[in-house]
């Protein structure tokens, strides 16, 4: 009996040492580690091996937690004259990354999407459900990344001529008004993502080589980006030539350009201080 026990013990010792010495067990552990992809979160770099235990002789690896949900809400019942600043004020105290208004047939539908800074802020945004913006109450719903991206695709398609944003007569009048405006070397930009930086705007106007100090991002009364900015060009001819960028996209947003003046720019800058 003792001899049989020793024989079994020796067999198990050889079996375990095979995995500990880098045999098939270690190879399997390496393969498992390679197949685990924790993925990057919405707000930072991948946490990588933080989710893994130190490799054991048997190669067991813990599972990473699911990625955080995309922090976006859908709005319904917005006033037809509301602006991105109105939405930012409606969600006072929350970090607004982007506001997207939904159009159909060239007309604003009263719906939109608001991307927030953190997933936790979605719950706070939902607490604003059925609160008033002006004279209208606004409904706030949970949304998904796919719904937001689909709305972006539709808006970009409209901006590129996939479908009319305005009636032809209104668009013609609108364009003629811009064309006849006097250029002073200053353009106003409207519709910027709230996350847009000076570098983004410089890249948008890369053909004109604007220096950083010629870009002025306008802040609202809370010190947050308002979605507007001013760009100073070397000459009136340059600002007029830059109007070719009107309604082109910066990131996911189409940007509207308007001839402006140094006086209007200084006034807007002072309001945001």
């Amino acid at each position: 009996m003792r001899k049989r026990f020793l024989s079994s013990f020796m067999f198990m010792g050889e079996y375990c040492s095979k995995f500990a010495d880098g045999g098939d067990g270690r190879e399997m552990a390496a393969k498992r580690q390679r197949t685990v992809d924790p993925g990057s979160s919405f707000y930072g770099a991948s946490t990588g091996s933080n989710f893994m235990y130190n490799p054991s002789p048997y190669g067991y690896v813990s599972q990473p937690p699911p990625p955080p949900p995309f922090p976006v809400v859908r709005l319904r019942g917005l006033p037809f004259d509301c602006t991105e600043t109105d939405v930012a004020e409606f969600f006072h105290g929350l970090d607004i990354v982007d506001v997207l208004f939904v159009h159909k047939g060239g007309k604003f539908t009263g719906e939109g999407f608001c991307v927030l800074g953190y997933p936790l802020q979605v719950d706070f945004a939902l607490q604003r459900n059925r609160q008033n913006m002006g004279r209208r109450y606004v409904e706030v719903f949970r949304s998904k990344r796919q719904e937001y991206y689909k709305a972006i695709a539709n808006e970009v398609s409209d901006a590129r001529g996939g479908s009319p944003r305005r009636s032809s007569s209104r668009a013609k009048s609108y364009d003629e008004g811009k064309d006849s405006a006097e250029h002073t070397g200053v353009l106003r930009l409207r519709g910027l993502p709230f996350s847009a930086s000076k570098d983004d705007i410089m890249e948008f106007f890369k053909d004109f080589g604007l220096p950083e100090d010629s870009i002025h991002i306008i802040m609202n009364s809370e010190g947050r980006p308002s979605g507007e900015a001013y760009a100073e060009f070397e000459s009136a001819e340059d600002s007029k030539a830059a109007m070719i960028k009107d309604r082109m996209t910066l990131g996911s947003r189409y940007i509207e350009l308007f001839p402006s003046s140094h006086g209007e720019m200084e006034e807007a800058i002072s309001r945001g201080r």
Side-chain angles (χ1 to χ4, degrees), residues 77-96:
L78 293 168
F80 287 97
D81 60 348
C82 79
T83 64
E84 294 172 351
T85 301
D86 294 330
V87 175
E89 291 176 355
F90 181 75
F91 289 122
H92 175 78
L94 303 182
D95 297 306
I96 308 300

Side-chain angles (χ1 to χ4, degrees), residues 18-31 56-59:
K18 177 180 179 182
F19 289 93
D21 292 339
D24 293 341
R26 179 166 294 182
E27 292 178 5
M28 180 61 71
K31 290 178 182 177
S56 72
Y58 301 101

